[in-house]
Amino acid sequence: MTADFVLQPALARFTVGDSTVQGITGTVFGMWDDAGRRVASGGQWGERPTGERFLLQERDRTYILNIDFPFRSPSPELRTISLDLSKALSAPGVPALPVIKFTPAKWKHGYT
């Protein structure tokens, strides 16, 4: 993609059944140097807060982003779990992301 995406964790919506909550905080996982800059090597792995707005402008990097929601972990067997990032992850001129709906599935891989 050529657009600069922006993550705004507070605009994310997590729904289980009839209950919907908004994101409260966001973090980005990566390798960081002592000055707090993201580096490809020579730093320490960890999470850093995204703040209210986090610009994803480095197109050659993979971002591992987390959004925390004030909700207990739902049963993975529920069919009513969805995540709406349409307003939380956006870029100018790019259509809104569709709602992500989770479906239970049998685990096909080992646990090791």
Side-chain angles (χ1 to χ4, degrees), residues 45-60:
W45 292 103
E47 288 185 330
R48 300 286 166 104
T50 60
E52 291 180 18
R53 292 177 52 88
F54 182 75
L55 184 60
L56 288 78
Q57 61 187 10
E58 296 178 66
R59 290 176 189 86
D60 60 334

Side-chain angles (χ1 to χ4, degrees), residues 34-112:
D34 292 336
R37 294 179 301 248
R38 189 169 178 199
V39 294
S41 63
Q44 291 193 351
W45 292 103
E47 288 185 330
R48 300 286 166 104
T50 60
E52 291 180 18
R53 292 177 52 88
F54 182 75
L55 184 60
L56 288 78
Q57 61 187 10
E58 296 178 66
R59 290 176 189 86
D60 60 334
R61 293 208 178 205
T62 299
Y63 290 91
I64 301 173
L65 302 165
N66 298 301
I67 299 174
D68 293 325
F69 295 94
F71 206 92
R72 290 182 54 152
S73 296
S75 167
E77 296 175 1
L78 291 176
R79 295 185 177 275
T80 58
I81 302 172
S82 65
L83 177 62
D84 183 354
L85 298 174
S86 62
K87 293 179 181 154
L89 187 59
S90 61
V94 177
L97 296 172
V99 174
I100 301 166
K101 296 181 180 181
F102 296 88
T103 304
K106 190 169 186 160
W107 189 256
K108 297 178 183 176
H109 303 285
Y111 290 95
T112 58

